[in-house]
Amino acid sequence: MPFKLSLLSEESGVYHLAAEGEATVLDFSVNRPSPFEQILGPAWASRRVLLDMERLAYLDSSAIGVLITSQKAFRGAGGFLASHSRSTQVRNLLN
């Protein structure tokens, strides 16, 4: 299943996003905006985000790199990124 990031809801300035499918190098390009920017707009890094990873079946090293880079951008811009509901496979990869 291809990777998809979608907006589930926004409440009190907290954006709840969901990641699903398999996140691989093919889903991220230097020439495209970050997946967070595509969903949240240009000020994406200043937002507070909860990322539901329950339906994320797999992520490769490129996807992990995007998460790490995004986390640094969120912190640098005063935003926040927290993930939850990771599958066992994804949790093992991140550990």
Side-chain angles (χ1 to χ4, degrees):
M1 175 193 277
F3 173 71
K4 181 180 176 186
L5 185 66
S6 55
L7 175 64
L8 298 177
S9 66
E10 182 274 324
E11 187 174 328
S12 301
V14 177
Y15 293 80
H16 192 181
L17 305 182
E20 60 183 281
E22 297 182 355
T24 69
V25 67
L26 301 175
D27 300 302
F28 309 105
S29 169
V30 179
N31 300 324
R32 288 189 348 210
S34 90
F36 292 106
E37 183 176 355
Q38 291 176 33
I39 298 288
L40 301 171
W44 66 272
S46 65
R47 312 270 190 215
R48 295 182 301 163
V49 174
L50 296 175
L51 179 60
D52 183 339
M53 299 177 90
E54 182 176 19
R55 293 185 165 190
L56 186 64
Y58 174 79
L59 68 165
D60 69 5
S61 60
S62 294
I64 292 170
V66 167
L67 281 175
I68 291 169
T69 301
S70 297
Q71 176 70 347
K72 289 178 183 178
F74 277 107
R75 269 194 236 135
F80 179 82
L81 173 64
S83 64
H84 66 89
S85 303
R86 297 180 208 142
S87 68
T88 302
Q89 181 176 357
V90 168
R91 190 173 338 127
N92 289 340
L93 287 168
L94 292 173
N95 286 339

